[in-house]
Amino acid sequence: MTSLQPTSDLIPAPASSAPVAVEGPSRRGFLPDLGTTLFAAPGTRTTERWLRSTVGAALGLPLPPGERHAENSVTLLIDDNLEPEAYRLGVVPSPGVEIRGGSAAGVFWGAQTLRQLLGPEAFRRAPVRSGPTHDIAHQVIEDAPRFPWRGLMLDVSRHFLPKDDVLRYLDLLAAHKLNVFHFHLTDDQGWRIEIKRHPRLTEVGAWRARTKYGHRASELWDERPHGGYYTQDDIREIVAYAAERHITVVPEIDIPGHSQAAIAAYPELGNTDVIDTTTLSVWDNWGINPNVLAPTDSTLRFYEGVFEEVLGLFPATFIHIGGDECPKGQWKVSPAAQARIRELGLADEDALQSWFIRHFDSWLADRGRRLIGWDEILEGGLAPGAAVSSWRGYAGGITAAEAGHDVVMCPQQQVYLDHRQHGGPDEPMPIGYVRTLEDVYRFEPVPPALTPEAAAHIVGTQANVWTEVMQDRSRVDYQVFPRLAAFAEVAWSALPVPAERDFPDFERRMTAHYARLDALGVDYRPPGGPLPWQRRPGVIGRPIEGAPPNV
């Protein structure tokens, strides 16, 4: 005996959902079975493959090819009248389900909605019972995203995540209709991407001897060596897997700061006239590191070689170059850096950093790509095509948007998911401000003071996950979920202003969503607080009390 699956538990919330009135025996709803066929029009093959391999496998249904609009079928179509990522999902008595998308991506997002309608069983990897247990009520859902950039930044430099864990996170992004994976691949604590012309970047730079356990103020150390990297074939696999799910992978290669792992591998990249860079190793602690790249021609050529290989692996328009937290102490006392400042006619060390960034801005533009960096890259001015990830607050994004630059809003005070979720003493290694599920749900990416012209440059938003105190996948899950579900709705749905958002309704819908996360094996933070094995008693964090500033 089946019951109608509720249609009001969707996350993100769709733009509209209307029931379809039916009479007679068809009132039962749509229930796929072994006879259900799948028709995929040209341009919808990625969704066809995904439905068959993921949803079909979860429910034990083969979903063989069938005719368009056959009885008891799922039909996938491209509709040029819809916006590119928009979709229209119709569930009608005859023939069954039709998903129309403005592009292949729109069809795919419609299929994600269908998966939610099929119930939590559709989120497993193999069937636990014979077929779905819920009919899908007859209805029409029409939906489209608010932003074209809906992202998650995952730091794999501080703590490495194996390739399979990265692929799993791409699946989790797709399940929440997020379409950008910002892949933070290099930092002081580890270099994670194979560069064939510079093999020591991974031979040396991918490994550290030990790791600070907890915040840098902690006296604890994990004495085990830590590291890992992705081969170029691993990267190709990750990019292809993401593309099948209509997710763009944006790589980040950090310059000129956050570079000690690279300098440890190739000491000539550092300021050799200031310190003996041959004594540096991959950093085992947290914080802002003073060892930055030397502003030499040889450093530029080295990183041009790195980026040539990166461009060959990542087809994304945007390449992230970091550009944040670059201490100027070594440059101030470096005769070579000071000579470079005079040679270029620059005002100071801040202008030298801007010169460094603008060099790669032009270099990427010459190759048909666009630079994006953290909001410090605004200092000294940007080329017209460069974009900004506004992390220190809203201010950098406002400045960039008003100057005509595209902006991804990701203020640390609002959507850094490494910040703690509760003020209680049991939160593991508590970092930063308290950012609850409701806080994230009330995050607004577009500052109300922006003019319509400037607001149009807010191309999207992303949540950032820095992994200094996240040693493995389970810890990442705990920090990211359930808050990523709230963030996904903010990024996708056209919500009211923050104060008017219906958080009780979202919380109600989360009751159903927790069952989906359970089926996916996500180690989320339970609403009642961390489970005993999710706590880290006695490990120092860095909690910040009070409400975060709106800056």
Side-chain angles (χ1 to χ4, degrees):
M1 186 70 177
T2 63
S3 60
L4 288 180
Q5 173 73 358
T7 62
S8 58
D9 291 336
L10 298 174
I11 292 178
S16 69
S17 177
V20 174
V22 295
E23 301 293 337
S26 295
R27 295 177 64 185
R28 185 188 71 178
F30 173 74
L31 183 68
D33 56 29
L34 291 172
T36 299
T37 59
L38 177 59
F39 172 83
T44 68
R45 300 303 182 191
T46 55
T47 301
E48 177 191 24
R49 287 191 291 270
W50 180 83
L51 279 170
R52 194 168 283 130
S53 64
T54 302
V55 177
L59 300 177
L61 303 179
L63 300 177
E67 298 299 318
R68 176 173 175 171
H69 293 142
E71 283 297 316
N72 191 33
S73 68
V74 176
T75 296
L76 309 177
L77 302 168
I78 300 290
D79 187 338
D80 294 336
N81 294 314
L82 298 174
E83 292 297 317
E85 288 193 278
Y87 68 88
R88 182 183 185 277
L89 189 156
V91 184
V92 294
S94 179
V97 173
E98 179 190 83
I99 301 175
R100 291 178 176 267
S103 68
V107 175
F108 184 71
W109 304 132
Q112 293 295 337
T113 296
L114 175 63
R115 186 190 195 186
Q116 290 196 20
L117 292 173
L118 288 166
E121 293 86 357
F123 289 80
R124 296 189 178 277
R125 295 192 179 216
V128 295
R129 52 185 60 84
S130 57
T133 59
H134 298 287
D135 293 2
I136 301 176
H138 298 125
Q139 62 191 292
V140 174
I141 296 173
E142 294 184 303
D143 204 5
R146 180 184 180 188
F147 294 109
W149 184 302
R150 308 178 302 278
L152 176 78
M153 191 288 305
L154 184 60
D155 165 25
V156 296
S157 295
R158 274 50 177 269
H159 279 98
F160 178 69
L161 282 179
K163 179 192 67 178
D164 284 352
D165 290 344
V166 174
L167 299 177
R168 172 180 176 267
Y169 256 83
L170 292 170
D171 282 329
L172 292 172
L173 264 63
H176 292 84
K177 298 188 175 74
L178 298 173
N179 69 341
V180 175
F181 180 60
H182 176 168
F183 206 8
H184 183 80
L185 287 164
T186 74
D187 218 295
D188 299 303
Q189 296 87 358
W191 184 285
R192 305 297 180 211
I193 177 173
E194 178 188 26
I195 302 298
K196 292 185 180 296
R197 72 188 71 185
H198 302 307
R200 285 176 60 83
L201 286 172
T202 46
E203 291 172 358
V204 174
W207 310 94
R208 60 178 182 260
R210 63 175 187 170
T211 301
K212 175 65 73 171
Y213 193 63
H215 184 255
R216 59 182 177 271
S218 169
E219 296 181 356
L220 302 176
W221 292 88
D222 183 342
E223 297 291 348
R224 297 173 298 174
H226 178 85
Y229 66 93
Y230 310 103
T231 67
Q232 293 201 356
D233 279 346
D234 290 339
I235 294 292
R236 293 185 182 97
E237 180 182 356
I238 288 166
V239 169
Y241 195 85
E244 281 280 307
R245 287 145 184 80
H246 300 278
I247 295 170
T248 298
V249 183
V250 175
E252 180 178 355
I253 305 296
D254 224 329
I255 55 174
H258 289 284
S259 297
Q260 183 161 317
I263 297 168
Y266 292 93
E268 65 271 22
L269 295 173
N271 295 284
T272 57
D273 56 347
V274 176
I275 64 165
D276 181 1
T277 56
T278 63
T279 65
L280 295 178
S281 58
V282 177
W283 206 24
D284 56 14
N285 211 327
W286 317 126
I288 299 176
N289 190 298
N291 296 302
V292 303
L293 297 175
T296 63
D297 287 338
S298 60
T299 299
L300 297 181
R301 301 293 89 76
F302 182 96
Y303 273 87
E304 287 172 358
V306 169
F307 281 116
E308 283 177 4
E309 295 193 26
V310 167
L311 296 191
L313 296 170
F314 295 92
T317 298
F318 282 103
I319 303 295
H320 206 291
I321 52 76
D324 64 318
E325 296 179 333
C326 179
K328 310 302 190 298
Q330 291 183 357
W331 289 351
K332 288 180 184 293
V333 298
S334 162
Q338 292 302 309
R340 195 71 193 234
I341 289 173
R342 292 191 296 272
E343 172 195 340
L344 297 169
L346 301 176
D348 53 23
E349 292 77 21
D350 288 338
L352 185 61
Q353 178 175 349
S354 178
W355 165 82
F356 210 114
I357 299 302
R358 290 173 71 94
H359 172 85
F360 286 100
D361 190 354
S362 300
W363 189 91
L364 288 169
D366 289 344
R367 289 154 181 79
R369 305 298 184 95
R370 290 180 65 187
L371 179 147
I372 185 169
W374 304 112
D375 53 61
E376 286 96 328
I377 68 172
L378 286 165
E379 298 161 5
L382 284 178
V388 169
S389 302
S390 189
W391 77 273
R392 290 182 293 179
Y394 288 102
I398 292 171
T399 299
E402 290 177 339
H405 295 284
D406 288 341
V407 173
V408 177
M409 277 293 184
C410 49
Q412 63 169 326
Q413 302 87 352
Q414 311 298 329
V415 287
Y416 268 34
L417 300 186
D418 40 298
H419 283 209
R420 57 197 170 127
Q421 304 185 62
H422 191 275
D426 291 332
E427 293 304 308
M429 300 187 194
I431 300 296
Y433 297 102
V434 172
R435 295 285 85 195
T436 65
L437 185 66
E438 181 172 0
D439 291 330
V440 174
Y441 189 67
R442 297 194 189 279
F443 163 61
E444 173 49 50
V446 181
L450 285 179
T451 65
E453 293 77 14
H457 284 288
I458 309 298
V459 296
T461 183
Q462 71 182 31
N464 293 340
V465 184
W466 301 102
T467 61
E468 287 93 336
V469 297
M470 302 179 211
Q471 296 79 15
D472 53 35
R473 185 181 89 178
S474 179
R475 274 290 285 128
V476 175
D477 278 4
Y478 179 90
Q479 292 299 131
V480 171
F481 289 98
R483 292 181 296 181
L484 192 69
F487 174 80
E489 185 149 310
V490 169
W492 176 277
S493 305
L495 298 176
V497 297
E500 297 176 8
R501 293 178 188 172
D502 190 351
F503 179 71
D505 179 70
F506 176 79
E507 205 168 27
R508 177 193 62 77
R509 287 182 283 127
M510 277 302 301
T511 302
H513 202 64
Y514 285 123
R516 300 173 192 134
L517 297 179
D518 286 333
L520 287 165
V522 176
D523 292 327
Y524 58 85
R525 181 189 188 274
L531 299 169
W533 53 87
Q534 293 174 322
R535 301 166 189 165
R536 298 291 185 277
V539 182
I540 295 175
R542 183 177 172 264
I544 305 174
E545 302 304 330
N550 188 18
V551 295

